[in-house]
């Protein structure tokens, strides 16, 4: 796994050794960022944007955003081995003022009275494929009022996933890549 583009282009990322974490495949990541760069429907400017990376794992998505000029990334990861890898990856690429790591379960955090001090332009949700509470998390994010105008949520699921995305958001596009299905919603 590597950084695809930007100032860290080509740098390799560390990955957890066990199978509890499912890394975002390069094919899927390349496709997502091509759409962000070139799509008239879902295209977004990453330069100086604020990113929320939920279920961060090794930090591949958020690091790609930072490499492409995002102002700040908030990473959420609660699996200890993944957090250690995330911290190592971040320390070898980025100044500490460019990111913040939250070592919390996303569902517990967003269901609590805890607050986030930022509004985000892009939210990436990449939970385990077996996780079924996606709509609960989307609705909690909406209730926290942490999205900027014209923000985008990208939701990564298994292509055979049967979950219907809540009608509280608008699906702008859906793409399939190998075993992955990616929703782009606003």
């Amino acid at each position: 796994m590597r950084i695809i583009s930007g100032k860290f282009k080509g740098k390799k990322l560390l990955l957890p050794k066990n199978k509890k974490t499912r890394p975002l495949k390069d094919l899927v990541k390349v496709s997502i960022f091509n759409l962000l760069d070139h799509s008239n429907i879902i295209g977004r400017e990453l330069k100086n944007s604020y990113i929320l990376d939920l279920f961060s794992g090794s930090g591949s998505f958020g690091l790609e955003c930072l490499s492409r000029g995002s102002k700040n990334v908030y990473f959420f990861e609660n699996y200890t081995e993944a957090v250690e890898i995330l911290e190592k990856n971040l320390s070898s690429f980025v100044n500490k003022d460019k990111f913040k790591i939250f070592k919390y379960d996303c569902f517990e955090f967003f269901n609590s009275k805890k607050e986030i001090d930022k509004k985000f332009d892009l939210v990436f949700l990449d939970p385990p494929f077996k996780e079924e509470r996606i709509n609960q998390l989307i609705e909690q994010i909406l209730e926290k009022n942490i999205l900027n105008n014209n923000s985008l949520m990208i939701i990564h699921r298994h292509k055979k996933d049967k979950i219907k995305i809540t009608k509280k958001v608008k699906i702008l596009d859906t793409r399939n890549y190998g075993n992955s299905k990616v929703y782009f919603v606003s």
Side-chain angles (χ1 to χ4, degrees):
M1 175 133 356
R2 63 189 168 80
I3 302 293
I4 301 163
S5 186
K7 67 181 179 179
F8 307 130
K9 181 180 179 178
K11 292 203 175 193
K12 292 188 178 189
L13 297 173
L14 300 172
L15 299 173
K17 295 191 187 314
N18 66 34
K19 302 293 181 194
K20 286 189 175 185
T21 302
R22 174 190 35 80
L24 181 65
K25 293 192 168 62
D26 279 350
L27 168 71
V28 178
K29 189 166 56 168
V30 166
S31 300
I32 289 170
F33 282 95
N34 279 339
L35 286 169
L36 290 172
D37 287 342
H38 304 293
S39 170
N40 291 332
I41 298 169
I42 61 166
R44 296 297 188 277
E45 176 64 47
L46 288 175
K47 193 170 178 82
N48 296 318
S49 61
Y50 289 90
I51 311 297
L52 179 59
D53 186 354
L54 302 176
F55 307 94
S56 302
S58 64
S60 170
F61 185 85
L63 277 162
E64 187 71 39
C65 291
L66 288 167
S67 182
R68 293 167 183 250
S70 292
K71 186 165 187 105
N72 200 284
V73 177
Y74 279 26
F75 294 92
F76 270 77
E77 181 57 61
N78 71 333
Y79 177 53
T80 304
E81 184 180 349
V83 169
E84 290 170 4
I85 297 294
L86 174 62
E87 288 172 335
K88 286 178 185 175
N89 282 334
L90 286 165
S91 70
S92 64
F93 294 116
V94 187
N95 295 333
K96 291 185 186 225
D97 62 336
K98 292 285 199 179
F99 66 88
K100 192 171 189 177
I101 299 174
F102 291 81
K103 299 174 188 178
Y104 292 103
D105 175 278
C106 295
F107 295 100
E108 289 175 17
F109 183 90
F110 285 102
N111 196 37
S112 73
K113 295 193 185 290
K114 292 181 172 121
E115 296 294 327
I116 292 183
D117 61 347
K118 295 264 186 268
K119 289 199 177 234
F120 299 96
D121 302 298
L122 180 64
V123 178
F124 184 63
L125 290 94
D126 192 10
F129 283 156
K130 292 180 181 180
E131 180 57 65
E132 295 182 354
R133 299 174 291 167
I134 302 308
N135 287 320
Q136 175 187 334
L137 187 56
I138 293 169
E139 290 173 13
Q140 289 169 335
I141 289 168
L142 294 173
E143 287 171 18
K144 289 278 188 188
N145 194 28
I146 59 171
L147 303 176
N148 281 323
N149 293 338
N150 200 32
S151 65
L152 180 71
M153 278 193 253
I154 301 172
I155 304 158
H156 181 217
R157 303 298 297 151
H158 192 276
K159 72 177 180 182
K160 293 182 181 177
D161 185 63
K162 302 289 186 218
I163 294 173
K164 302 280 187 224
I165 301 297
T166 178
K167 295 195 184 292
K168 293 184 178 183
V169 294
K170 178 182 176 186
I171 297 176
L172 302 173
D173 200 350
T174 305
R175 300 288 175 113
N176 291 317
Y177 309 103
N179 287 329
S180 294
K181 180 184 239 178
V182 180
Y183 297 92
F184 299 88
V185 303
S186 66

